[in-house]
Amino acid sequence: MNEVQALTRAIIEEYGSAGAVSAQSLDVAEFGVWDRVTPGLLLIGAAVLIDAEDPTLAEEIVRPGVRALTAMLRDGPEGLALAEQSGAFRWDDMMALIQAYVSRPGTPPDALATLLTEAESLGTEIVRSGEVTRPRVRDGENGPWDAAENPVPADTERIDCGALKVPRLNGARTRPLHEGDRTVGVVVDFAGHDLWLQVFRAHQGPTWDTVRPQLGSAALARGGTVTESRSTLGPELRARIPVTRDGRRELLPTRLLGCDGPGWLLRGLFRGPDALTEVVDPRVHHLLTQTVVDLPPAAADAAPDGTVVEVTMP
């Protein structure tokens, strides 16, 4: 048994004796890290394998969180993380599923060791494939979508803000972004972070490839730092931009995102303590890729390319 498996077993045994996962174990598990094998990834892999082998087990446990967990497991790590962050289940629910599996009558003594070995193989395969971190933007399954595209997925509840139809996120606050007396975008606040969304006309340009260097130069000119990178949202900038809070200057972690669509450029700005993590926050991925852009007719909005489109808040 290697170190990762030993740490994973210790977390499972802690849950078995205490009936809960401690904050220290949550730190050790490193849930939300998808670019290397961690105890958290083994626990998730174990739950995936259990769900595939015995899909009725969650129903036997009769815990709503476990049922939510098994449903989200079928949507992959991103769906799992999104469900956890929206409060659909707790990590303890996953531990309950694993504990129930290894405690079944007639289960061999080495069942947990076998399960963790298989989970590590699954986790290693996920990491090596790069599936979790590959770009998933306008790929046929993910948007952002243009209102004229058919079909736009209808299984996401959206807030109608005119030119932007923004997904509704549990526990988040959606508010207007003002520029003078104009409403030029939407801000979604959640868990100490905020995501700004704006759409610009771009029939002939600009494109995200041309705008991105300009935004980087502007951040550097303000005294910030900027790094070109890629994530599940494609090419992006990871920056630390100076802001003043309570009279003190600080560098705010900021992720600058963009996506080209038919006749438009959707830009996102994600700010907060965890904005620069290697794997983009699944809530941000959901918000950006499930937004629908609905540009007003050209006759009603004769602004040239590169002009931000005003939105209307309900």
Side-chain angles (χ1 to χ4, degrees):
M1 179 179 297
N2 59 37
E3 181 180 3
V4 175
Q5 288 192 27
L7 291 171
T8 308
R9 178 184 281 270
I11 295 172
I12 295 171
E13 291 174 348
E14 176 193 58
Y15 179 84
S17 60
V21 180
S22 67
Q24 181 179 2
S25 288
L26 288 175
D27 289 340
V28 170
E30 296 186 278
F31 288 119
V33 175
W34 309 108
D35 55 354
R36 57 188 170 83
V37 177
T38 65
L41 189 55
L42 259 64
L43 290 167
I44 293 168
V48 170
L49 293 169
I50 293 169
D51 184 53
E53 178 183 335
D54 189 354
T56 64
L57 187 57
E59 296 296 331
E60 294 173 3
I61 298 173
V62 194
R63 291 180 62 172
V66 175
R67 289 197 292 268
L69 167 65
T70 55
M72 289 300 169
L73 285 172
R74 299 183 183 104
D75 290 336
E78 183 176 290
L80 176 66
L82 183 62
E84 186 269 335
Q85 290 162 339
S86 66
F89 77 97
R90 302 169 300 132
W91 291 114
D92 282 12
D93 294 318
M94 182 168 63
M95 304 303 301
L97 180 62
I98 297 173
Q99 188 68 35
Y101 175 81
V102 298
S103 300
R104 294 178 305 174
T107 300
D110 63 347
L112 180 56
T114 301
L115 180 64
L116 294 182
T117 298
E118 293 176 353
E120 185 169 19
S121 296
L122 177 61
T124 301
E125 181 181 340
I126 291 172
V127 171
R128 287 178 177 173
S129 71
E131 180 65 18
V132 178
T133 55
R134 69 171 176 82
R136 296 193 299 278
V137 180
R138 291 189 62 77
D139 58 358
E141 296 181 4
N142 298 278
W145 309 95
D146 188 85
E149 291 176 319
N150 187 31
V152 171
D155 56 353
T156 296
E157 183 182 359
R158 297 180 175 89
I159 302 172
D160 188 346
C161 302
L164 291 175
K165 322 295 186 188
V166 180
R168 190 182 300 277
L169 185 67
N170 288 340
R173 180 171 71 102
T174 303
R175 56 184 173 88
L177 175 62
H178 295 300
E179 185 179 275
D181 59 355
R182 303 170 67 219
T183 303
V184 296
V186 176
V187 181
V188 184
D189 298 309
F190 57 89
H193 295 74
D194 54 48
L195 174 67
W196 301 14
L197 291 172
Q198 294 180 282
V199 63
F200 298 79
R201 285 199 172 274
H203 291 290
Q204 303 297 323
T207 66
W208 181 229
D209 283 342
T210 60
V211 169
R212 198 166 63 252
Q214 299 170 14
L215 295 176
S217 297
L220 291 172
R222 292 179 55 187
T225 63
V226 179
T227 302
E228 282 265 4
S229 190
R230 294 182 66 86
S231 72
T232 52
L233 293 174
E236 63 186 20
L237 297 177
R238 300 181 192 177
R240 294 184 182 275
I241 297 178
V243 297
T244 301
R245 290 180 173 175
D246 300 325
R248 298 177 56 185
R249 184 178 182 272
E250 61 180 83
L251 294 175
L252 182 63
T254 304
R255 203 177 200 118
L256 296 124
L257 308 161
C259 182
D260 298 310
W264 47 262
L265 167 63
L266 180 65
R267 275 173 35 191
L269 186 147
F270 177 43
R271 309 188 307 171
D274 299 327
L276 303 183
T277 55
E278 185 63 29
V279 177
V280 69
D281 188 300
R283 292 166 293 189
V284 174
H285 190 277
H286 176 74
L287 286 166
L288 191 133
T289 62
Q290 292 305 316
T291 286
V292 175
V293 176
D294 189 5
L295 289 183
D301 182 1
D305 283 2
T307 301
V308 65
V309 179
E310 291 191 57
V311 302
T312 57
M313 298 299 292

